[in-house]
PDB file of all heavy atoms in Angstrom:
ATOM      1  N   GLN A   1      84.048 106.032  89.913  1.00 89.00           N
ATOM      2  CA  GLN A   1      84.294 104.961  88.956  1.00 89.00           C
ATOM      3  C   GLN A   1      84.443 103.625  89.680  1.00 89.00           C
ATOM      4  O   GLN A   1      85.209 103.508  90.625  1.00 89.00           O
ATOM      5  CB  GLN A   1      85.563 105.226  88.142  1.00 89.00           C
ATOM      6  CG  GLN A   1      85.872 104.119  87.125  1.00 89.00           C
ATOM      7  CD  GLN A   1      87.179 104.353  86.378  1.00 89.00           C
ATOM      8  OE1 GLN A   1      87.852 105.363  86.594  1.00 89.00           O
ATOM      9  NE2 GLN A   1      87.540 103.431  85.513  1.00 89.00           N
ATOM     10  N   ARG A   2      83.692 102.636  89.222  1.00 93.00           N
ATOM     11  CA  ARG A   2      83.862 101.290  89.766  1.00 93.00           C
ATOM     12  C   ARG A   2      85.041 100.650  89.048  1.00 93.00           C
ATOM     13  O   ARG A   2      84.931 100.202  87.915  1.00 93.00           O
ATOM     14  CB  ARG A   2      82.570 100.488  89.616  1.00 93.00           C
ATOM     15  CG  ARG A   2      81.462 101.033  90.525  1.00 93.00           C
ATOM     16  CD  ARG A   2      80.250 100.133  90.593  1.00 93.00           C
ATOM     17  NE  ARG A   2      79.255 100.695  91.509  1.00 93.00           N
ATOM     18  CZ  ARG A   2      79.192 100.440  92.817  1.00 93.00           C
ATOM     19  NH1 ARG A   2      80.080  99.605  93.364  1.00 93.00           N
ATOM     20  NH2 ARG A   2      78.263 101.002  93.565  1.00 93.00           N
ATOM     21  N   TYR A   3      86.159 100.649  89.733  1.00 93.00           N
ATOM     22  CA  TYR A   3      87.434 100.228  89.146  1.00 93.00           C
ATOM     23  C   TYR A   3      87.876  98.926  89.817  1.00 93.00           C
ATOM     24  O   TYR A   3      88.025  98.868  91.042  1.00 93.00           O
ATOM     25  CB  TYR A   3      88.500 101.309  89.339  1.00 93.00           C
ATOM     26  CG  TYR A   3      89.772 101.067  88.574  1.00 93.00           C
ATOM     27  CD1 TYR A   3      89.974 101.652  87.331  1.00 93.00           C
ATOM     28  CD2 TYR A   3      90.781 100.252  89.082  1.00 93.00           C
ATOM     29  CE1 TYR A   3      91.147 101.435  86.614  1.00 93.00           C
ATOM     30  CE2 TYR A   3      91.950 100.023  88.370  1.00 93.00           C
ATOM     31  CZ  TYR A   3      92.132 100.620  87.138  1.00 93.00           C
ATOM     32  OH  TYR A   3      93.288 100.396  86.430  1.00 93.00           O
ATOM     33  N   PRO A   4      88.098  97.853  89.038  1.00 96.00           N
ATOM     34  CA  PRO A   4      88.462  96.558  89.620  1.00 96.00           C
ATOM     35  C   PRO A   4      89.958  96.472  89.949  1.00 96.00           C
ATOM     36  O   PRO A   4      90.755  95.913  89.190  1.00 96.00           O
ATOM     37  CB  PRO A   4      88.073  95.578  88.514  1.00 96.00           C
ATOM     38  CG  PRO A   4      88.257  96.346  87.257  1.00 96.00           C
ATOM     39  CD  PRO A   4      87.910  97.775  87.576  1.00 96.00           C
ATOM     40  N   PHE A   5      90.343  97.022  91.092  1.00 96.00           N
ATOM     41  CA  PHE A   5      91.746  96.975  91.501  1.00 96.00           C
ATOM     42  C   PHE A   5      92.201  95.526  91.683  1.00 96.00           C
ATOM     43  O   PHE A   5      91.429  94.667  92.131  1.00 96.00           O
ATOM     44  CB  PHE A   5      91.949  97.746  92.805  1.00 96.00           C
ATOM     45  CG  PHE A   5      91.698  99.214  92.686  1.00 96.00           C
ATOM     46  CD1 PHE A   5      90.523  99.776  93.153  1.00 96.00           C
ATOM     47  CD2 PHE A   5      92.643 100.053  92.098  1.00 96.00           C
ATOM     48  CE1 PHE A   5      90.283 101.136  93.044  1.00 96.00           C
ATOM     49  CE2 PHE A   5      92.413 101.417  91.988  1.00 96.00           C
ATOM     50  CZ  PHE A   5      91.233 101.965  92.465  1.00 96.00           C
ATOM     51  N   THR A   6      93.456  95.257  91.359  1.00 97.00           N
ATOM     52  CA  THR A   6      93.991  93.908  91.480  1.00 97.00           C
ATOM     53  C   THR A   6      93.749  93.335  92.870  1.00 97.00           C
ATOM     54  O   THR A   6      93.895  94.030  93.882  1.00 97.00           O
ATOM     55  CB  THR A   6      95.488  93.886  91.147  1.00 97.00           C
ATOM     56  OG1 THR A   6      95.969  92.552  91.273  1.00 97.00           O
ATOM     57  CG2 THR A   6      96.286  94.774  92.078  1.00 97.00           C
ATOM     58  N   GLY A   7      93.358  92.068  92.919  1.00 97.00           N
ATOM     59  CA  GLY A   7      93.073  91.410  94.180  1.00 97.00           C
ATOM     60  C   GLY A   7      91.693  91.665  94.736  1.00 97.00           C
ATOM     61  O   GLY A   7      91.326  91.092  95.761  1.00 97.00           O
ATOM     62  N   SER A   8      90.909  92.521  94.059  1.00 97.00           N
ATOM     63  CA  SER A   8      89.578  92.863  94.558  1.00 97.00           C
ATOM     64  C   SER A   8      88.506  92.208  93.694  1.00 97.00           C
ATOM     65  O   SER A   8      88.792  91.422  92.790  1.00 97.00           O
ATOM     66  CB  SER A   8      89.393  94.383  94.591  1.00 97.00           C
ATOM     67  OG  SER A   8      89.358  94.916  93.271  1.00 97.00           O
ATOM     68  N   VAL A   9      87.245  92.552  93.956  1.00 97.00           N
ATOM     69  CA  VAL A   9      86.112  91.921  93.274  1.00 97.00           C
ATOM     70  C   VAL A   9      85.965  92.453  91.846  1.00 97.00           C
ATOM     71  O   VAL A   9      86.070  93.654  91.610  1.00 97.00           O
ATOM     72  CB  VAL A   9      84.809  92.164  94.061  1.00 97.00           C
ATOM     73  CG1 VAL A   9      83.604  91.606  93.316  1.00 97.00           C
ATOM     74  CG2 VAL A   9      84.919  91.541  95.453  1.00 97.00           C
ATOM     75  N   ASN A  10      85.723  91.533  90.917  1.00 97.00           N
ATOM     76  CA  ASN A  10      85.451  91.892  89.531  1.00 97.00           C
ATOM     77  C   ASN A  10      83.948  92.087  89.309  1.00 97.00           C
ATOM     78  O   ASN A  10      83.125  91.698  90.143  1.00 97.00           O
ATOM     79  CB  ASN A  10      85.919  90.775  88.595  1.00 97.00           C
ATOM     80  CG  ASN A  10      87.360  90.924  88.176  1.00 97.00           C
ATOM     81  OD1 ASN A  10      87.789  91.995  87.765  1.00 97.00           O
ATOM     82  ND2 ASN A  10      88.128  89.844  88.279  1.00 97.00           N
ATOM     83  N   ALA A  11      83.612  92.654  88.169  1.00 97.00           N
ATOM     84  CA  ALA A  11      82.215  92.677  87.742  1.00 97.00           C
ATOM     85  C   ALA A  11      81.743  91.243  87.530  1.00 97.00           C
ATOM     86  O   ALA A  11      82.512  90.370  87.110  1.00 97.00           O
ATOM     87  CB  ALA A  11      82.071  93.477  86.458  1.00 97.00           C
ATOM     88  N   GLU A  12      80.473  90.999  87.813  1.00 98.00           N
ATOM     89  CA  GLU A  12      79.877  89.685  87.587  1.00 98.00           C
ATOM     90  C   GLU A  12      79.212  89.700  86.217  1.00 98.00           C
ATOM     91  O   GLU A  12      78.340  90.536  85.950  1.00 98.00           O
ATOM     92  CB  GLU A  12      78.861  89.383  88.682  1.00 98.00           C
ATOM     93  CG  GLU A  12      78.313  87.974  88.625  1.00 98.00           C
ATOM     94  CD  GLU A  12      77.370  87.677  89.777  1.00 98.00           C
ATOM     95  OE1 GLU A  12      77.838  87.232  90.835  1.00 98.00           O
ATOM     96  OE2 GLU A  12      76.146  87.918  89.603  1.00 98.00           O
ATOM     97  N   VAL A  13      79.613  88.780  85.356  1.00 98.00           N
ATOM     98  CA  VAL A  13      79.141  88.768  83.967  1.00 98.00           C
ATOM     99  C   VAL A  13      78.413  87.462  83.679  1.00 98.00           C
ATOM    100  O   VAL A  13      78.969  86.370  83.885  1.00 98.00           O
ATOM    101  CB  VAL A  13      80.312  88.944  82.979  1.00 98.00           C
ATOM    102  CG1 VAL A  13      79.794  88.952  81.541  1.00 98.00           C
ATOM    103  CG2 VAL A  13      81.071  90.228  83.282  1.00 98.00           C
ATOM    104  N   ASP A  14      77.191  87.567  83.212  1.00 98.00           N
ATOM    105  CA  ASP A  14      76.426  86.402  82.781  1.00 98.00           C
ATOM    106  C   ASP A  14      76.097  86.559  81.301  1.00 98.00           C
ATOM    107  O   ASP A  14      76.197  87.658  80.735  1.00 98.00           O
ATOM    108  CB  ASP A  14      75.142  86.261  83.605  1.00 98.00           C
ATOM    109  CG  ASP A  14      74.575  84.847  83.581  1.00 98.00           C
ATOM    110  OD1 ASP A  14      75.148  83.987  82.876  1.00 98.00           O
ATOM    111  OD2 ASP A  14      73.562  84.608  84.254  1.00 98.00           O
ATOM    112  N   LEU A  15      75.701  85.446  80.682  1.00 98.00           N
ATOM    113  CA  LEU A  15      75.364  85.444  79.263  1.00 98.00           C
ATOM    114  C   LEU A  15      73.923  84.955  79.111  1.00 98.00           C
ATOM    115  O   LEU A  15      73.540  83.909  79.653  1.00 98.00           O
ATOM    116  CB  LEU A  15      76.312  84.517  78.489  1.00 98.00           C
ATOM    117  CG  LEU A  15      76.197  84.543  76.960  1.00 98.00           C
ATOM    118  CD1 LEU A  15      76.619  85.902  76.404  1.00 98.00           C
ATOM    119  CD2 LEU A  15      77.065  83.441  76.347  1.00 98.00           C
ATOM    120  N   GLY A  16      73.118  85.738  78.404  1.00 98.00           N
ATOM    121  CA  GLY A  16      71.727  85.376  78.162  1.00 98.00           C
ATOM    122  C   GLY A  16      71.477  85.079  76.702  1.00 98.00           C
ATOM    123  O   GLY A  16      72.146  85.623  75.817  1.00 98.00           O
ATOM    124  N   LEU A  17      70.501  84.203  76.427  1.00 98.00           N
ATOM    125  CA  LEU A  17      70.093  83.883  75.062  1.00 98.00           C
ATOM    126  C   LEU A  17      68.682  84.408  74.840  1.00 98.00           C
ATOM    127  O   LEU A  17      67.721  83.958  75.475  1.00 98.00           O
ATOM    128  CB  LEU A  17      70.136  82.370  74.830  1.00 98.00           C
ATOM    129  CG  LEU A  17      71.508  81.702  74.983  1.00 98.00           C
ATOM    130  CD1 LEU A  17      71.413  80.208  74.690  1.00 98.00           C
ATOM    131  CD2 LEU A  17      72.537  82.356  74.077  1.00 98.00           C
ATOM    132  N   TYR A  18      68.569  85.377  73.952  1.00 98.00           N
ATOM    133  CA  TYR A  18      67.298  86.033  73.639  1.00 98.00           C
ATOM    134  C   TYR A  18      66.645  85.342  72.456  1.00 98.00           C
ATOM    135  O   TYR A  18      67.271  85.125  71.410  1.00 98.00           O
ATOM    136  CB  TYR A  18      67.566  87.506  73.333  1.00 98.00           C
ATOM    137  CG  TYR A  18      66.426  88.250  72.678  1.00 98.00           C
ATOM    138  CD1 TYR A  18      65.326  88.672  73.423  1.00 98.00           C
ATOM    139  CD2 TYR A  18      66.464  88.554  71.316  1.00 98.00           C
ATOM    140  CE1 TYR A  18      64.285  89.374  72.814  1.00 98.00           C
ATOM    141  CE2 TYR A  18      65.443  89.251  70.709  1.00 98.00           C
ATOM    142  CZ  TYR A  18      64.352  89.657  71.458  1.00 98.00           C
ATOM    143  OH  TYR A  18      63.326  90.349  70.862  1.00 98.00           O
ATOM    144  N   ASP A  19      65.388  84.987  72.629  1.00 97.00           N
ATOM    145  CA  ASP A  19      64.595  84.378  71.557  1.00 97.00           C
ATOM    146  C   ASP A  19      63.767  85.479  70.905  1.00 97.00           C
ATOM    147  O   ASP A  19      62.852  86.032  71.518  1.00 97.00           O
ATOM    148  CB  ASP A  19      63.691  83.288  72.133  1.00 97.00           C
ATOM    149  CG  ASP A  19      62.950  82.516  71.052  1.00 97.00           C
ATOM    150  OD1 ASP A  19      62.408  83.151  70.119  1.00 97.00           O
ATOM    151  OD2 ASP A  19      62.908  81.273  71.142  1.00 97.00           O
ATOM    152  N   ARG A  20      64.067  85.792  69.628  1.00 96.00           N
ATOM    153  CA  ARG A  20      63.409  86.929  68.986  1.00 96.00           C
ATOM    154  C   ARG A  20      61.916  86.671  68.781  1.00 96.00           C
ATOM    155  O   ARG A  20      61.100  87.596  68.820  1.00 96.00           O
ATOM    156  CB  ARG A  20      64.099  87.239  67.653  1.00 96.00           C
ATOM    157  CG  ARG A  20      63.610  88.532  67.006  1.00 96.00           C
ATOM    158  CD  ARG A  20      64.482  88.927  65.831  1.00 96.00           C
ATOM    159  NE  ARG A  20      64.501  87.916  64.797  1.00 96.00           N
ATOM    160  CZ  ARG A  20      63.553  87.759  63.876  1.00 96.00           C
ATOM    161  NH1 ARG A  20      62.486  88.560  63.893  1.00 96.00           N
ATOM    162  NH2 ARG A  20      63.649  86.823  62.958  1.00 96.00           N
ATOM    163  N   ALA A  21      61.527  85.418  68.596  1.00 95.00           N
ATOM    164  CA  ALA A  21      60.123  85.105  68.340  1.00 95.00           C
ATOM    165  C   ALA A  21      59.264  85.318  69.575  1.00 95.00           C
ATOM    166  O   ALA A  21      58.144  85.832  69.493  1.00 95.00           O
ATOM    167  CB  ALA A  21      59.995  83.670  67.843  1.00 95.00           C
ATOM    168  N   THR A  22      59.773  84.922  70.724  1.00 96.00           N
ATOM    169  CA  THR A  22      58.983  85.010  71.960  1.00 96.00           C
ATOM    170  C   THR A  22      59.342  86.207  72.815  1.00 96.00           C
ATOM    171  O   THR A  22      58.555  86.614  73.679  1.00 96.00           O
ATOM    172  CB  THR A  22      59.175  83.742  72.797  1.00 96.00           C
ATOM    173  OG1 THR A  22      60.550  83.668  73.237  1.00 96.00           O
ATOM    174  CG2 THR A  22      58.841  82.498  71.989  1.00 96.00           C
ATOM    175  N   GLY A  23      60.540  86.749  72.623  1.00 96.00           N
ATOM    176  CA  GLY A  23      61.006  87.845  73.468  1.00 96.00           C
ATOM    177  C   GLY A  23      61.590  87.373  74.788  1.00 96.00           C
ATOM    178  O   GLY A  23      61.992  88.197  75.628  1.00 96.00           O
ATOM    179  N   ASP A  24      61.668  86.059  74.990  1.00 96.00           N
ATOM    180  CA  ASP A  24      62.199  85.521  76.247  1.00 96.00           C
ATOM    181  C   ASP A  24      63.725  85.532  76.247  1.00 96.00           C
ATOM    182  O   ASP A  24      64.372  85.427  75.194  1.00 96.00           O
ATOM    183  CB  ASP A  24      61.717  84.086  76.457  1.00 96.00           C
ATOM    184  CG  ASP A  24      60.210  83.999  76.641  1.00 96.00           C
ATOM    185  OD1 ASP A  24      59.620  85.017  77.082  1.00 96.00           O
ATOM    186  OD2 ASP A  24      59.627  82.937  76.347  1.00 96.00           O
ATOM    187  N   VAL A  25      64.295  85.621  77.460  1.00 97.00           N
ATOM    188  CA  VAL A  25      65.740  85.551  77.654  1.00 97.00           C
ATOM    189  C   VAL A  25      66.031  84.428  78.644  1.00 97.00           C
ATOM    190  O   VAL A  25      65.440  84.380  79.731  1.00 97.00           O
ATOM    191  CB  VAL A  25      66.320  86.874  78.185  1.00 97.00           C
ATOM    192  CG1 VAL A  25      67.829  86.736  78.423  1.00 97.00           C
ATOM    193  CG2 VAL A  25      66.039  88.011  77.211  1.00 97.00           C
ATOM    194  N   ARG A  26      66.919  83.527  78.266  1.00 96.00           N
ATOM    195  CA  ARG A  26      67.347  82.459  79.173  1.00 96.00           C
ATOM    196  C   ARG A  26      68.783  82.723  79.598  1.00 96.00           C
ATOM    197  O   ARG A  26      69.689  82.751  78.767  1.00 96.00           O
ATOM    198  CB  ARG A  26      67.247  81.099  78.482  1.00 96.00           C
ATOM    199  CG  ARG A  26      67.711  79.932  79.365  1.00 96.00           C
ATOM    200  CD  ARG A  26      67.275  78.607  78.749  1.00 96.00           C
ATOM    201  NE  ARG A  26      67.849  78.380  77.440  1.00 96.00           N
ATOM    202  CZ  ARG A  26      69.022  77.754  77.221  1.00 96.00           C
ATOM    203  NH1 ARG A  26      69.742  77.324  78.244  1.00 96.00           N
ATOM    204  NH2 ARG A  26      69.443  77.565  75.994  1.00 96.00           N
ATOM    205  N   TRP A  27      68.993  82.933  80.887  1.00 96.00           N
ATOM    206  CA  TRP A  27      70.332  83.217  81.409  1.00 96.00           C
ATOM    207  C   TRP A  27      71.055  81.912  81.721  1.00 96.00           C
ATOM    208  O   TRP A  27      70.476  80.985  82.297  1.00 96.00           O
ATOM    209  CB  TRP A  27      70.255  84.104  82.646  1.00 96.00           C
ATOM    210  CG  TRP A  27      69.701  85.459  82.311  1.00 96.00           C
ATOM    211  CD1 TRP A  27      68.436  85.911  82.519  1.00 96.00           C
ATOM    212  CD2 TRP A  27      70.404  86.509  81.648  1.00 96.00           C
ATOM    213  NE1 TRP A  27      68.292  87.187  82.026  1.00 96.00           N
ATOM    214  CE2 TRP A  27      69.491  87.595  81.493  1.00 96.00           C
ATOM    215  CE3 TRP A  27      71.701  86.667  81.168  1.00 96.00           C
ATOM    216  CZ2 TRP A  27      69.845  88.790  80.883  1.00 96.00           C
ATOM    217  CZ3 TRP A  27      72.061  87.856  80.563  1.00 96.00           C
ATOM    218  CH2 TRP A  27      71.146  88.906  80.418  1.00 96.00           C
ATOM    219  N   LEU A  28      72.336  81.850  81.341  1.00 96.00           N
ATOM    220  CA  LEU A  28      73.093  80.613  81.487  1.00 96.00           C
ATOM    221  C   LEU A  28      73.654  80.422  82.890  1.00 96.00           C
ATOM    222  O   LEU A  28      74.084  79.319  83.234  1.00 96.00           O
ATOM    223  CB  LEU A  28      74.241  80.577  80.462  1.00 96.00           C
ATOM    224  CG  LEU A  28      73.826  80.695  78.992  1.00 96.00           C
ATOM    225  CD1 LEU A  28      75.042  80.522  78.093  1.00 96.00           C
ATOM    226  CD2 LEU A  28      72.748  79.688  78.640  1.00 96.00           C
ATOM    227  N   GLY A  29      73.681  81.474  83.696  1.00 96.00           N
ATOM    228  CA  GLY A  29      74.198  81.345  85.057  1.00 96.00           C
ATOM    229  C   GLY A  29      75.693  81.098  85.110  1.00 96.00           C
ATOM    230  O   GLY A  29      76.163  80.251  85.892  1.00 96.00           O
ATOM    231  N   LEU A  30      76.452  81.815  84.313  1.00 96.00           N
ATOM    232  CA  LEU A  30      77.903  81.583  84.248  1.00 96.00           C
ATOM    233  C   LEU A  30      78.614  81.798  85.583  1.00 96.00           C
ATOM    234  O   LEU A  30      79.503  81.009  85.930  1.00 96.00           O
ATOM    235  CB  LEU A  30      78.529  82.473  83.165  1.00 96.00           C
ATOM    236  CG  LEU A  30      78.019  82.277  81.734  1.00 96.00           C
ATOM    237  CD1 LEU A  30      78.853  83.095  80.763  1.00 96.00           C
ATOM    238  CD2 LEU A  30      78.030  80.804  81.338  1.00 96.00           C
ATOM    239  N   PRO A  31      78.294  82.831  86.368  1.00 94.00           N
ATOM    240  CA  PRO A  31      78.999  83.005  87.642  1.00 94.00           C
ATOM    241  C   PRO A  31      78.809  81.815  88.586  1.00 94.00           C
ATOM    242  O   PRO A  31      79.751  81.421  89.282  1.00 94.00           O
ATOM    243  CB  PRO A  31      78.388  84.292  88.213  1.00 94.00           C
ATOM    244  CG  PRO A  31      77.887  85.037  87.026  1.00 94.00           C
ATOM    245  CD  PRO A  31      77.397  83.972  86.093  1.00 94.00           C
TER     246      PRO A  31
END
């Protein structure tokens, strides 16, 4: 199990915007 113990590295989470008409995804680069 990848468990984020305190003081250690967290999962990296980004948010993408999917365009249903084109099928494209634009990532916002949150990290």
Side-chain angles (χ1 to χ4, degrees):
Q1 180 183 358
R2 291 190 178 270
Y3 190 96
F5 295 103
T6 180
S8 68
V9 176
N10 272 312
E12 187 177 271
V13 181
D14 201 357
L15 187 66
L17 299 181
Y18 166 77
D19 186 315
R20 188 170 60 81
T22 65
D24 295 335
V25 178
R26 179 166 61 90
W27 295 101
L28 302 185
L30 300 187

